Amino acid sequence: QVQLQESGPGLVKPSQTLSLTCTVSGGSITTNYYYWSWFRQPPGKGLEWMGAITSRGSTTYTPSLKSRTSISRDTSKNQFTLQLSSVTPEDTAVYYCARGLGSNWDDYDYRGQGTQVTVSS
């Protein structure tokens, strides 16, 4: 059973960089071919796919966030990390990490429970 757990600060100040880590257990982030993705859901809005790092180490991002987003991994710890720069209150959301393919939430079979991030001074 693959399990994913998000971790990171729950409060970030405007203009700073949001950094979240997803720790994966029960399976390696380097085997087979999957997208290891980040999604977010702002209050009152739908889920948004932000981007992914694949099992092969390549990255892909949604165009609207590409200039501010970086996803990396630490294979020795079986973790992958999201960094979102120059945050504003509009980046307040529940952030999820997940394993699947593509950008559709329904195509992800393992998901973290989500972590609330609030952007506020």
Side-chain angles (χ1 to χ4, degrees):
Q1 179 85 2
V2 175
Q3 293 184 318
L4 297 92
Q5 179 65 59
E6 305 91 349
S7 61
L11 180 64
V12 182
K13 294 183 178 180
S15 81
Q16 292 187 341
T17 295
L18 179 162
S19 183
L20 295 174
T21 295
C22 183
T23 300
V24 179
S25 59
S28 172
I29 63 172
T30 63
T31 58
N32 298 313
Y33 185 75
Y34 290 109
Y35 277 24
W36 297 90
S37 286
W38 288 96
F39 289 81
R40 68 179 183 178
Q41 186 167 27
K45 297 184 179 180
L47 276 162
E48 176 184 31
W49 177 75
M50 301 179 70
I53 187 163
T54 72
S55 303
R56 299 171 183 169
S58 61
T59 54
T60 179
Y61 304 105
T62 194
S64 63
L65 295 173
K66 186 175 182 178
S67 64
R68 299 196 292 130
T69 307
S70 178
I71 298 174
S72 59
R73 67 181 183 176
D74 185 336
T75 57
S76 67
K77 296 181 180 179
N78 215 35
Q79 296 175 333
F80 62 105
T81 298
L82 168 73
Q83 290 193 310
L84 181 67
S85 63
S86 305
V87 297
T88 71
E90 291 187 346
D91 294 309
T92 294
V94 178
Y95 286 76
Y96 299 89
C97 58
R99 185 194 83 168
L101 287 171
S103 60
N104 190 330
W105 179 253
D106 290 341
D107 294 328
Y108 283 74
D109 54 356
Y110 291 103
R111 308 157 180 170
Q113 63 183 16
T115 188
Q116 172 71 47
V117 178
T118 300
V119 179
S120 174
S121 55

